[in-house]
mmCIF file of all heavy atoms in Angstrom:
data_model
loop_
_atom_site.group_PDB
_atom_site.id
_atom_site.type_symbol
_atom_site.label_atom_id
_atom_site.label_comp_id
_atom_site.label_asym_id
_atom_site.label_seq_id
_atom_site.Cartn_x
_atom_site.Cartn_y
_atom_site.Cartn_z
ATOM 1 N N LEU A 278 102.104 -91.040 -61.455
ATOM 2 C CA LEU A 278 102.654 -92.380 -61.654
ATOM 3 C C LEU A 278 102.267 -92.773 -63.076
ATOM 4 O O LEU A 278 101.084 -92.938 -63.380
ATOM 5 C CB LEU A 278 102.056 -93.348 -60.628
ATOM 6 C CG LEU A 278 102.464 -94.819 -60.717
ATOM 7 C CD1 LEU A 278 103.974 -95.003 -60.668
ATOM 8 C CD2 LEU A 278 101.806 -95.615 -59.576
ATOM 9 N N ALA A 362 109.381 -97.006 -60.310
ATOM 10 C CA ALA A 362 108.434 -97.732 -59.461
ATOM 11 C C ALA A 362 108.199 -99.149 -59.981
ATOM 12 O O ALA A 362 107.300 -99.379 -60.789
ATOM 13 C CB ALA A 362 107.113 -96.958 -59.388
ATOM 14 N N SER A 364 106.751 -102.743 -60.195
ATOM 15 C CA SER A 364 105.518 -103.336 -59.669
ATOM 16 C C SER A 364 105.437 -104.835 -59.921
ATOM 17 O O SER A 364 104.376 -105.430 -59.858
ATOM 18 C CB SER A 364 104.303 -102.654 -60.312
ATOM 19 O OG SER A 364 104.306 -102.855 -61.711
ATOM 20 N N LEU A 389 110.384 -96.133 -55.785
ATOM 21 C CA LEU A 389 109.141 -96.413 -55.060
ATOM 22 C C LEU A 389 108.856 -97.888 -55.278
ATOM 23 O O LEU A 389 108.579 -98.308 -56.411
ATOM 24 C CB LEU A 389 108.006 -95.543 -55.640
ATOM 25 C CG LEU A 389 106.547 -95.953 -55.433
ATOM 26 C CD1 LEU A 389 106.197 -96.051 -53.963
ATOM 27 C CD2 LEU A 389 105.610 -94.948 -56.096
ATOM 28 N N SER A 390 108.985 -98.670 -54.222
ATOM 29 C CA SER A 390 108.797 -100.101 -54.380
ATOM 30 C C SER A 390 107.353 -100.512 -54.127
ATOM 31 O O SER A 390 106.777 -100.159 -53.103
ATOM 32 C CB SER A 390 109.701 -100.852 -53.398
ATOM 33 O OG SER A 390 109.340 -102.214 -53.408
ATOM 34 N N TYR A 391 106.780 -101.255 -55.069
ATOM 35 C CA TYR A 391 105.518 -101.935 -54.790
ATOM 36 C C TYR A 391 105.931 -103.102 -53.895
ATOM 37 O O TYR A 391 106.152 -104.210 -54.371
ATOM 38 C CB TYR A 391 104.914 -102.491 -56.072
ATOM 39 C CG TYR A 391 104.308 -101.511 -57.051
ATOM 40 C CD1 TYR A 391 105.075 -100.573 -57.723
ATOM 41 C CD2 TYR A 391 102.942 -101.561 -57.342
ATOM 42 C CE1 TYR A 391 104.510 -99.715 -58.648
ATOM 43 C CE2 TYR A 391 102.366 -100.708 -58.276
ATOM 44 C CZ TYR A 391 103.157 -99.791 -58.930
ATOM 45 O OH TYR A 391 102.593 -98.955 -59.863
ATOM 46 N N ALA A 392 106.069 -102.831 -52.617
ATOM 47 C CA ALA A 392 106.708 -103.793 -51.728
ATOM 48 C C ALA A 392 105.734 -104.870 -51.257
ATOM 49 O O ALA A 392 105.986 -106.060 -51.415
ATOM 50 C CB ALA A 392 107.321 -103.063 -50.545
ATOM 51 N N ALA A 393 104.635 -104.424 -50.653
ATOM 52 C CA ALA A 393 103.640 -105.382 -50.179
ATOM 53 C C ALA A 393 102.492 -105.372 -51.167
ATOM 54 O O ALA A 393 101.470 -104.715 -50.970
ATOM 55 C CB ALA A 393 103.171 -105.013 -48.780
ATOM 56 N N LYS A 394 102.695 -106.091 -52.253
ATOM 57 C CA LYS A 394 101.679 -106.144 -53.298
ATOM 58 C C LYS A 394 101.003 -107.496 -53.263
ATOM 59 O O LYS A 394 101.630 -108.528 -53.502
ATOM 60 C CB LYS A 394 102.334 -105.904 -54.652
ATOM 61 C CG LYS A 394 101.373 -106.070 -55.804
ATOM 62 C CD LYS A 394 101.966 -105.543 -57.065
ATOM 63 C CE LYS A 394 101.076 -105.845 -58.234
ATOM 64 N NZ LYS A 394 101.630 -105.290 -59.455
ATOM 65 N N ALA A 437 108.566 -105.652 -47.312
ATOM 66 C CA ALA A 437 108.732 -104.207 -47.067
ATOM 67 C C ALA A 437 110.091 -103.939 -46.424
ATOM 68 O O ALA A 437 110.817 -103.022 -46.830
ATOM 69 C CB ALA A 437 107.604 -103.693 -46.181
ATOM 70 N N ILE A 447 110.583 -95.303 -50.936
ATOM 71 C CA ILE A 447 109.184 -95.314 -50.506
ATOM 72 C C ILE A 447 108.707 -96.760 -50.637
ATOM 73 O O ILE A 447 109.022 -97.424 -51.638
ATOM 74 C CB ILE A 447 108.311 -94.413 -51.405
ATOM 75 C CG1 ILE A 447 108.851 -92.982 -51.437
ATOM 76 C CG2 ILE A 447 106.850 -94.430 -50.971
ATOM 77 C CD1 ILE A 447 108.214 -92.080 -52.491
ATOM 78 N N VAL A 448 107.982 -97.249 -49.643
ATOM 79 C CA VAL A 448 107.431 -98.601 -49.759
ATOM 80 C C VAL A 448 105.910 -98.522 -49.885
ATOM 81 O O VAL A 448 105.269 -97.726 -49.207
ATOM 82 C CB VAL A 448 107.827 -99.527 -48.580
ATOM 83 C CG1 VAL A 448 109.284 -99.912 -48.658
ATOM 84 C CG2 VAL A 448 107.502 -98.899 -47.253
ATOM 85 N N MET A 449 105.383 -99.338 -50.763
ATOM 86 C CA MET A 449 103.952 -99.265 -51.043
ATOM 87 C C MET A 449 103.215 -100.499 -50.551
ATOM 88 O O MET A 449 103.763 -101.599 -50.555
ATOM 89 C CB MET A 449 103.744 -99.152 -52.557
ATOM 90 C CG MET A 449 102.295 -98.996 -52.986
ATOM 91 S SD MET A 449 102.041 -99.533 -54.670
ATOM 92 C CE MET A 449 102.896 -98.305 -55.590
ATOM 93 N N VAL A 450 101.987 -100.257 -50.114
ATOM 94 C CA VAL A 450 101.071 -101.360 -49.828
ATOM 95 C C VAL A 450 99.944 -101.269 -50.852
ATOM 96 O O VAL A 450 99.409 -100.198 -51.117
ATOM 97 C CB VAL A 450 100.488 -101.261 -48.400
ATOM 98 C CG1 VAL A 450 99.476 -102.379 -48.158
ATOM 99 C CG2 VAL A 450 101.603 -101.309 -47.360
ATOM 100 N N LYS A 451 99.559 -102.403 -51.401
ATOM 101 C CA LYS A 451 98.609 -102.417 -52.507
ATOM 102 C C LYS A 451 97.906 -103.749 -52.565
ATOM 103 O O LYS A 451 98.591 -104.766 -52.499
ATOM 104 C CB LYS A 451 99.396 -102.167 -53.796
ATOM 105 C CG LYS A 451 98.692 -102.441 -55.083
ATOM 106 C CD LYS A 451 99.660 -102.350 -56.221
ATOM 107 C CE LYS A 451 98.891 -102.536 -57.497
ATOM 108 N NZ LYS A 451 99.720 -102.591 -58.650
ATOM 109 N N ILE A 463 103.545 -101.590 -41.300
ATOM 110 C CA ILE A 463 104.733 -101.172 -42.046
ATOM 111 C C ILE A 463 105.077 -99.721 -41.713
ATOM 112 O O ILE A 463 106.250 -99.366 -41.568
ATOM 113 C CB ILE A 463 104.544 -101.392 -43.564
ATOM 114 C CG1 ILE A 463 104.459 -102.901 -43.840
ATOM 115 C CG2 ILE A 463 105.689 -100.774 -44.356
ATOM 116 C CD1 ILE A 463 104.249 -103.282 -45.274
ATOM 117 N N PRO A 470 108.780 -93.441 -45.923
ATOM 118 C CA PRO A 470 107.383 -93.116 -46.216
ATOM 119 C C PRO A 470 106.650 -94.327 -46.788
ATOM 120 O O PRO A 470 107.231 -95.086 -47.566
ATOM 121 C CB PRO A 470 107.473 -92.003 -47.266
ATOM 122 C CG PRO A 470 108.895 -91.603 -47.355
ATOM 123 C CD PRO A 470 109.738 -92.644 -46.694
ATOM 124 N N VAL A 471 105.411 -94.481 -46.370
ATOM 125 C CA VAL A 471 104.598 -95.598 -46.860
ATOM 126 C C VAL A 471 103.508 -95.053 -47.781
ATOM 127 O O VAL A 471 102.787 -94.119 -47.424
ATOM 128 C CB VAL A 471 103.958 -96.366 -45.678
ATOM 129 C CG1 VAL A 471 103.003 -97.440 -46.176
ATOM 130 C CG2 VAL A 471 105.048 -96.993 -44.812
ATOM 131 N N ALA A 472 103.426 -95.637 -48.976
ATOM 132 C CA ALA A 472 102.392 -95.239 -49.928
ATOM 133 C C ALA A 472 101.310 -96.303 -49.957
ATOM 134 O O ALA A 472 101.605 -97.495 -49.901
ATOM 135 C CB ALA A 472 102.999 -95.082 -51.323
ATOM 136 N N ALA A 473 100.058 -95.861 -50.016
ATOM 137 C CA ALA A 473 98.940 -96.790 -50.153
ATOM 138 C C ALA A 473 98.326 -96.584 -51.533
ATOM 139 O O ALA A 473 97.992 -95.448 -51.893
ATOM 140 C CB ALA A 473 97.897 -96.535 -49.073
ATOM 141 N N TYR A 474 98.203 -97.651 -52.297
ATOM 142 C CA TYR A 474 97.659 -97.558 -53.652
ATOM 143 C C TYR A 474 96.228 -98.078 -53.648
ATOM 144 O O TYR A 474 95.994 -99.275 -53.532
ATOM 145 C CB TYR A 474 98.536 -98.374 -54.613
ATOM 146 C CG TYR A 474 98.301 -98.169 -56.092
ATOM 147 C CD1 TYR A 474 99.296 -98.501 -57.006
ATOM 148 C CD2 TYR A 474 97.113 -97.660 -56.611
ATOM 149 C CE1 TYR A 474 99.127 -98.333 -58.378
ATOM 150 C CE2 TYR A 474 96.922 -97.481 -57.968
ATOM 151 C CZ TYR A 474 97.920 -97.833 -58.852
ATOM 152 O OH TYR A 474 97.737 -97.671 -60.212
ATOM 153 N N ILE A 514 98.008 -93.008 -53.386
ATOM 154 C CA ILE A 514 97.938 -93.118 -54.839
ATOM 155 C C ILE A 514 96.490 -93.444 -55.163
ATOM 156 O O ILE A 514 95.964 -94.475 -54.713
ATOM 157 C CB ILE A 514 98.884 -94.221 -55.367
ATOM 158 C CG1 ILE A 514 100.313 -93.961 -54.854
ATOM 159 C CG2 ILE A 514 98.843 -94.276 -56.889
ATOM 160 C CD1 ILE A 514 101.317 -95.036 -55.207
#
Side-chain angles (χ1 to χ4, degrees):
L278 177 55
S364 62
L389 159 59
S390 170
Y391 287 66
K394 175 168 174 178
I447 304 169
V448 288
M449 183 204 291
V450 177
K451 167 189 184 185
I463 293 179
V471 174
Y474 192 159
I514 306 175

